[in-house]
Amino acid sequence: MARIFITGLAGLLGGELAAQAPAAGWDVAGSVFERPGPLGVDAVRLDVRDEAAVRGAVSGADVVVHTAYRQDSESSTVTGAEIVARCAPGRLIHLSSDVIFSGVLERPLREDDTPDPVTAYGMFKARAEELVLAVRPDALAVRTSLIYRGDGSTRHEQLARDPSMSFYDDELRSPVQVGDLVSAILELAALDVCGPLNVAGADGLSRLEFARLIAGPSVRGGPRPPGRPGDCRLDSSRARALLATRLRGAREVLG
């Protein structure tokens, strides 16, 4: 049985990958930083900035999926990604983000568009992707968007139901259901594809429209402030041509 190692098991995506991978034929292991990982998974406590520890943890893995990051930590997000790239012994899938773009092009973004982040986190993720692909040109950098489950349990869904929150009506994203994203990643683990690849939901929505799909029409909204990205919709047509998995739109999932 092939072995998949997942960094960030305590996160939404890492945990769902660990839950789905055994049924797809994978022997699962992975790492957590502080919080416990899923029950029944071979998990080690790991700081991805510790190269010796990372090298030992991923040894023997056929595929490494790097989902771990810290939104407020450049070293965890950037240095950690570079170290995982150096240490991964087999196939490497690195999770990137739509916020590596500013959205000024005002159209769905393609893999060959040049990253131009405007937030600190976007800069971290852009630099992480750049370093990963420099160290490992054979790696796959999966660019995705807002991840949700559809049952009210995720952070984006909980925030949408918070009456004190307001959401931007002019920041556009391509939300993706976590099960769809996981199925796509597990498919891609077996495909000979590398470089950046957009893997996001079929619908481009404003943050406000997305929140209203979750919580109803009473959710408040308004324009984004300076320094926020604008139209970060992702064109996932290349991924759709490669995959059997359907990358559903949020209107279908939540409607």
Side-chain angles (χ1 to χ4, degrees):
M1 185 178 289
R3 187 170 179 83
I4 190 169
F5 189 97
I6 303 158
T7 68
L9 285 174
L12 171 62
L13 179 57
E16 191 69 21
L17 274 164
Q20 288 195 29
W26 293 96
D27 175 30
V28 181
S31 67
V32 295
F33 181 56
E34 291 173 334
R35 292 178 293 164
L39 293 175
V41 176
D42 182 10
V44 296
R45 199 166 294 277
L46 181 68
D47 185 334
V48 292
R49 297 167 294 187
D50 182 337
E51 184 160 353
V54 171
R55 194 172 299 279
V58 302
S59 175
D62 298 286
V63 176
V64 174
V65 183
H66 180 53
T67 76
Y69 72 96
R70 292 185 68 183
Q71 193 160 352
D72 60 350
S73 172
E74 180 174 8
S75 63
S76 293
T77 302
V78 178
T79 306
E82 183 180 19
I83 286 172
V84 170
R86 284 204 297 263
C87 295
R91 180 146 173 73
L92 172 63
I93 300 178
H94 168 78
L95 266 293
S96 190
S97 172
D98 53 359
V99 295
I100 66 172
F101 296 106
S102 69
V104 297
L105 296 179
E106 298 185 342
R107 61 159 172 77
L109 296 153
R110 301 184 296 263
E111 285 85 357
D112 58 356
D113 287 319
T114 301
D116 59 343
V118 293
T119 65
Y121 174 61
M123 293 173 192
F124 300 162
K125 292 298 284 185
R127 181 60 175 155
E129 180 187 299
E130 178 184 25
L131 289 171
V132 165
L133 294 177
V135 171
R136 288 286 303 270
D138 61 335
L140 177 64
V142 170
R143 294 173 177 168
T144 195
S145 187
L146 306 174
I147 305 173
Y148 66 97
R149 194 182 297 281
D151 62 0
S153 66
T154 66
R155 179 175 177 272
H156 294 302
E157 293 165 271
Q158 292 167 356
L159 288 175
R161 297 181 185 280
D162 182 343
S164 70
M165 294 295 295
S166 178
F167 294 86
Y168 307 134
D169 58 13
D170 57 354
E171 180 180 315
L172 306 181
R173 310 287 288 275
S174 300
V176 62
Q177 201 273 340
V178 65
D180 294 351
L181 179 57
V182 164
S183 294
I185 291 169
L186 292 174
E187 268 197 75
L188 289 164
L191 297 180
D192 184 17
V193 57
C194 61
L197 183 68
N198 296 339
V199 184
D203 295 336
L205 307 173
S206 71
R207 295 296 301 268
L208 177 60
E209 186 178 358
F210 180 47
R212 285 179 172 171
L213 281 174
I214 295 166
S218 63
V219 176
R220 296 180 299 117
R224 70 187 190 278
R228 289 290 308 179
D231 187 349
C232 290
R233 291 173 294 163
L234 293 176
D235 177 349
S236 297
S237 56
R238 182 174 169 231
R240 285 195 297 271
L242 291 168
L243 297 169
T245 297
R246 286 184 61 233
L247 298 169
R248 296 172 294 168
R251 294 187 185 96
E252 177 182 346
V253 178
L254 299 171

